[in-house]
Amino acid sequence: MDLTYVAVALVMLVDVSGSIDTREYDLQRGGIVAAFEDRGVQKAIWQQQAVAVTVIEWSDVQRTVVPWRILKDADGATRFATEVAAIKRSSAGGT
């Protein structure tokens, strides 16, 4: 088993319930993308040596749309942002 020390583990939850319209969904997803493309955030990741991140969409069910990733540098943060940008909404279900 390969273990990596991470300074922070972030679980980002995106609401995809029926009360969230496309604009609101795009705002949530876009905020995650913008954050991980930000040079200040990328520098903070590098200074921490490693952070773990995942994205889960939830409504009446939960779905992991980006499994755990270990980010160690700006390139990793950019790859993660690209992966999040490519997500298609998993549900427009109930609450």
Side-chain angles (χ1 to χ4, degrees), residues 53-65:
V53 294
T54 185
V55 180
I56 298 171
E57 291 187 344
W58 64 276
S59 61
D60 52 342
V61 297
Q62 294 77 42
R63 181 171 171 246
T64 301
V65 293

Side-chain angles (χ1 to χ4, degrees), residues 36 42 70-84:
F36 283 88
Q42 293 176 350
I70 305 296
L71 310 181
K72 296 181 179 182
D73 54 26
D75 289 339
T78 299
R79 281 192 304 276
F80 177 73
T82 300
E83 190 172 5
V84 172

Side-chain angles (χ1 to χ4, degrees), residues 4-64:
T4 300
Y5 168 82
V6 296
V8 176
L10 295 172
V11 178
M12 283 158 286
L13 300 172
V14 177
D15 186 349
V16 293
S17 62
S19 63
I20 300 299
D21 64 23
T22 300
R23 182 190 62 77
E24 293 167 318
Y25 172 77
D26 289 344
L27 180 65
Q28 293 177 89
R29 188 172 45 100
I32 295 169
V33 171
F36 283 88
E37 289 177 336
D38 182 85
R39 294 292 178 212
V41 171
Q42 293 176 350
K43 181 179 178 183
I45 290 169
W46 173 78
Q47 289 174 332
Q48 293 300 320
Q49 298 178 9
V51 289
V53 294
T54 185
V55 180
I56 298 171
E57 291 187 344
W58 64 276
S59 61
D60 52 342
V61 297
Q62 294 77 42
R63 181 171 171 246
T64 301

